[in-house]
Amino acid sequence: MSVLSRPYFHDEAAAFEHVEGMLWPQGPVCHHCGSMEKHYALKGGRTKPSKKNPHGLEIHGLYKCSDCRKKFTVRMGTVFEESKLPLHIWLQALHAMCASKKGVSAHQLHRALEITYKTAWFLCHRIREMMRSDDFTPMGGAGKFVEVDETYIGRLKDVPKAPSGAHKNVVLTLVERGGAARSFHIDSATVARVLPIVNANIHKESVLMSDEARVYQNFGPDFAAHGTVEHSAGEYVRGKVHTNTVEGFYSVFKRGMKGVYQHCAEHHLHRYLAEFDFRYSNRVALGIDDNVRSLIALKGAKGKRLTYRQSA
């Protein structure tokens, strides 16, 4: 049976039940006062009549708090808040973005879900907000390898093309072998910009791996060891010394950005990085399939908001 035949992808009541089960594992929590006491489910309510829906739409997942007496739903306090899009459509889009290794364009969702392009575009950015990790625990540890590298993508606004690549966006990525990826959009690949990020995000007992770029030359004393490969001399692997893992991450990232999304404004790049970091850090090689990856992303909806003004 197809994954997309599951009830919560088609039925709004089932969609609310699914989301409530993920975000309220201990039962409903009042958004207004935080109470977890017994609340009252308000059923049978409908929205105001309109030309499109003369009898209104049934309101799902509405509760009344037994303490503060205010009404709330599971949408409140999440990226779903104030969205007019049905929750089951949200779940379809979420699964599509989590299951596609290189992403899904807003135009594709606009056509597949039969929603406007503007809605699909905003929907994608809010899903990327769900994927954004709040975990800044240092990567690696004793006996673990963390690779670091930078790449250049896109084009900076109002900056003329230059042979040095100064007209492009700079992305710095840290990848723990057998673990997660963490990417940063930085203004330049300089020691002053890169060193603080590396020091804050990599455990000091880790073995650092990089190429021979000058920006990494003085990082060795800060970690258990520092291995480098000389790409300019045609060297790519020397025993355990290589940066093939982070380069593999960039391979997928660039194929997605160029082949699927094609264009990304500079001020949105950090959201796309969060998306590719999320899928890499929750990949099949770590025992996480498409369904589980979608559930992990869904849990990330809690406590986050993104308005259209913020994303524009």
Side-chain angles (χ1 to χ4, degrees):
M1 183 178 293
S2 168
V3 171
L4 296 178
S5 65
R6 292 172 180 169
Y8 55 77
F9 285 130
H10 306 281
D11 180 73
E12 191 68 358
F16 267 90
E17 184 179 352
H18 177 69
V19 174
E20 288 174 7
M22 294 302 299
L23 302 188
W24 290 341
Q26 305 301 322
V29 180
C30 177
H31 171 69
H32 306 286
C33 68
S35 172
M36 294 183 66
E37 298 300 321
K38 184 177 180 180
H39 302 304
Y40 305 93
L42 302 178
K43 299 181 178 181
R46 306 189 75 84
T47 61
K48 292 181 180 180
S50 64
K51 289 184 178 180
K52 185 177 181 181
N53 301 287
H55 302 291
L57 295 174
E58 183 178 357
I59 299 175
H60 297 278
L62 184 63
Y63 293 85
K64 187 171 184 179
C65 179
S66 58
D67 286 340
C68 70
R69 313 300 294 173
K70 294 182 179 179
K71 298 177 183 179
F72 65 95
T73 72
V74 72
R75 284 180 181 260
M76 293 182 174
T78 72
V79 294
F80 305 125
E81 188 167 346
E82 296 187 2
S83 170
K84 296 181 181 179
L85 201 64
L87 206 54
H88 70 275
I89 299 296
W90 267 94
L91 296 179
Q92 289 181 32
L94 177 64
H95 182 82
M97 289 187 68
C98 287
S100 303
K101 189 172 184 177
K102 301 177 184 68
V104 180
S105 71
H107 272 295
Q108 180 66 35
L109 290 179
H110 147 63
R111 295 190 298 269
L113 302 180
E114 297 184 331
I115 56 180
T116 67
Y117 172 70
K118 182 178 179 180
T119 297
W121 180 88
F122 186 28
L123 174 63
C124 289
H125 276 312
R126 285 186 287 184
I127 290 176
R128 293 184 186 105
E129 183 67 10
M130 295 167 66
M131 293 175 169
R132 176 177 57 81
S133 175
D134 293 322
D135 181 13
F136 297 103
T137 305
M139 305 170 71
K144 295 184 178 180
F145 297 81
V146 179
E147 300 177 18
V148 56
D149 199 6
E150 80 285 344
T151 194
Y152 300 83
I153 192 167
R155 185 168 183 171
L156 295 171
K157 187 178 180 181
D158 301 326
V159 176
K161 189 173 182 180
S164 63
H167 62 290
K168 290 181 173 289
N169 292 292
V170 185
V171 173
L172 178 74
T173 300
L174 315 176
V175 176
E176 180 181 328
R177 291 182 188 171
R182 196 173 295 176
S183 301
F184 304 85
H185 178 200
I186 58 179
D187 49 22
S188 61
T190 60
V191 174
R193 191 68 182 89
V194 173
L195 184 58
I197 294 175
V198 171
N199 282 337
N201 289 274
I202 301 180
H203 196 286
K204 299 305 178 184
E205 295 183 7
S206 305
V207 176
L208 184 67
M209 294 291 171
S210 72
D211 58 24
E212 77 278 21
R214 285 185 295 177
V215 67
Y216 308 118
Q217 286 181 0
N218 298 319
F219 286 13
D222 296 325
F223 300 95
H226 180 194
T228 62
V229 286
E230 294 188 41
H231 290 167
S232 59
E235 181 186 45
Y236 293 94
V237 180
R238 188 176 68 256
K240 294 183 179 180
V241 180
H242 63 80
T243 57
N244 293 344
T245 314
V246 66
E247 287 166 13
F249 171 87
Y250 281 147
S251 177
V252 175
F253 169 65
K254 288 191 173 183
R255 280 177 170 82
M257 295 302 292
K258 294 179 180 180
V260 176
Y261 297 125
Q262 299 182 26
H263 171 73
C264 169
E266 179 184 357
H267 61 284
H268 290 314
L269 181 55
H270 67 289
R271 302 193 196 283
Y272 289 90
L273 291 173
E275 175 188 350
F276 282 89
D277 283 351
F278 173 82
R279 280 196 296 264
Y280 182 87
S281 302
N282 296 280
R283 58 193 184 278
V284 173
L286 299 179
I288 302 173
D289 61 17
D290 294 345
N291 181 52
V292 175
R293 192 179 307 114
S294 298
L295 296 178
I296 294 172
L298 179 56
K299 289 182 179 180
K302 197 172 183 179
K304 296 177 182 176
R305 283 295 309 278
L306 183 66
T307 64
Y308 188 82
R309 184 182 296 273
Q310 290 173 320
S311 64

